[in-house]
Amino acid sequence: EKIQEIERERLIQEKLLLKTEKLAALGTLASSINHEINQPLQSIKMMTASTLYWHEQHKDYPYEKVMDYFKKISHTVDRISEIIEHMRISYKSKGELKLETVDVNLIITKTKEFLSQKLMLHQIEIQLNLEKNLSKIIFSEIQFQQILINLIDNAVNSLDKEKKSDKKIEIKSFEDDEKIIIQISDNGSGIEKDYLEKIFDPFFTTNPKEESSGMGLYIVYNILSSYNALIKASNQIPQGAVFTIEFNKEKGEK
């Protein structure tokens, strides 16, 4: 009974920490959203102010230019809507998640666009090397995007410690006969050899404890494990860390 009580207490503490991690992630996401939304809003303001100025001056403004502005404003509003929708769906409860056919390359591209402002602020270039006509996976689109954001954020945190001008993150996708593979790599200092076996452990972090609870990669690992997918960390040559995700292809009837 004492052992069971200790186990129950451990599970309770783990759930509380997961909730804390989620709230911390929400704060980070809110900060990113602030940057992401502010820029397109300023673009809309500039285009409308320019059009209104010419109207108030009773001067003809080229029709083609006005139409071009309208198109850009419409596109920008769609972009803001996507950002808000992302925030809404990212924090749905587990019971609301649904399995669906996920276009891996499409979600990778969308995630890059979503984080573009943040990456620019951190002076990091992100490169995509995606295999065309990649097979789709059966997954939760929300959770897949959460995994990508978590791994990209992890790379950003690593690169923030580097004093270099050519900071890069690369995302690759490819497949073989049995697996669909995604690799997220950076050109930072890599992962210390002693940490490679611990990096997915709960509470493990190389950042100050007040900045991270060490649950981010643990959550990623558990989400992927629940879908029978694999993630592993390694170092690449000449430098940098790489996280490799492997999805098993469906065989025969589902």
Side-chain angles (χ1 to χ4, degrees):
E1 288 180 3
K2 194 169 184 178
I3 292 173
Q4 289 176 343
E5 181 62 30
I6 292 171
E7 179 65 14
R8 279 196 294 269
E9 181 65 25
R10 186 190 68 80
L11 290 172
I12 289 170
Q13 291 300 319
E14 186 173 304
K15 286 179 180 179
L16 287 172
L17 195 55
L18 286 171
K19 287 183 178 180
T20 303
E21 180 76 14
K22 194 169 186 178
L23 288 172
L26 180 58
T28 302
L29 182 61
S31 177
S32 298
I33 286 172
N34 179 53
H35 291 299
E36 289 285 339
I37 290 180
N38 188 56
Q39 190 274 332
L41 283 177
Q42 290 301 316
S43 296
I44 291 174
K45 183 178 179 180
M46 181 274 295
M47 288 184 283
T48 52
S50 177
T51 305
L52 289 171
Y53 171 79
W54 285 98
H55 176 71
E56 291 167 358
Q57 297 298 314
H58 304 289
K59 294 182 179 180
D60 292 333
Y61 204 48
Y63 175 81
E64 293 78 11
K65 188 69 174 176
V66 174
M67 289 298 102
D68 182 54
Y69 275 173
F70 281 163
K71 289 177 183 177
K72 288 179 179 178
I73 288 171
S74 177
H75 174 75
T76 305
V77 171
D78 288 340
R79 170 77 180 128
I80 293 172
S81 295
E82 286 179 7
I83 293 168
I84 294 171
E85 177 67 6
H86 173 85
M87 186 175 185
R88 186 184 70 80
I89 66 176
S90 290
Y91 289 88
K92 281 185 175 182
S93 67
K94 188 174 180 180
E96 295 178 276
L97 298 174
K98 64 176 182 178
L99 289 179
E100 53 200 317
T101 302
V102 174
D103 185 329
V104 170
N105 289 345
L106 178 61
I107 303 304
I108 291 173
T109 303
K110 283 186 175 182
T111 305
K112 176 192 173 184
E113 291 172 358
F114 176 73
L115 294 174
S116 60
Q117 188 70 10
K118 177 177 182 177
L119 291 164
M120 184 178 71
L121 289 170
H122 286 260
Q123 298 180 317
I124 297 173
E125 178 187 356
I126 187 164
Q127 300 174 337
L128 302 186
N129 184 4
L130 309 178
E131 184 175 304
K132 293 182 179 180
N133 302 316
L134 192 74
S135 299
K136 294 178 172 59
I137 61 173
I138 304 298
F139 213 82
S140 159
E141 184 174 314
I142 296 168
Q143 287 187 314
F144 182 56
Q145 195 164 35
Q146 285 177 330
I147 288 167
L148 291 174
I149 290 174
N150 207 316
L151 291 174
I152 292 171
D153 274 344
N154 188 72
V156 170
N157 291 335
S158 176
L159 289 169
D160 279 345
K161 300 173 186 176
E162 300 293 313
K163 294 181 179 179
K164 56 183 356 180
S165 58
D166 62 336
K167 298 178 182 180
K168 294 179 182 178
I169 296 173
E170 182 181 20
I171 304 179
K172 294 181 181 179
S173 69
F174 54 96
E175 63 184 308
D176 57 25
D177 292 339
E178 297 184 348
K179 298 181 183 297
I180 299 164
I181 301 166
I182 300 168
Q183 289 184 333
I184 299 176
S185 59
D186 63 67
N187 64 341
S189 57
I191 305 167
E192 289 189 31
K193 188 175 179 181
D194 292 342
Y195 295 163
L196 284 173
E197 293 184 0
K198 305 175 184 176
I199 201 163
F200 297 110
D201 290 350
F203 318 118
F204 179 80
T205 178
T206 58
N207 296 318
K209 291 294 182 182
E210 62 271 16
E211 295 180 11
S212 172
S213 64
M215 295 295 284
L217 291 177
Y218 173 69
I219 292 170
V220 167
Y221 179 86
N222 275 277
I223 291 174
L224 288 167
S225 295
S226 70
Y227 288 91
N228 198 30
L230 174 70
I231 182 169
K232 53 188 176 183
S234 59
N235 288 312
Q236 58 181 349
I237 298 174
Q239 62 179 359
V242 55
F243 287 84
T244 302
I245 302 172
E246 297 180 354
F247 298 98
N248 293 314
K249 288 186 176 179
E250 295 286 343
K251 294 183 179 180
E253 291 189 6
K254 189 175 169 186

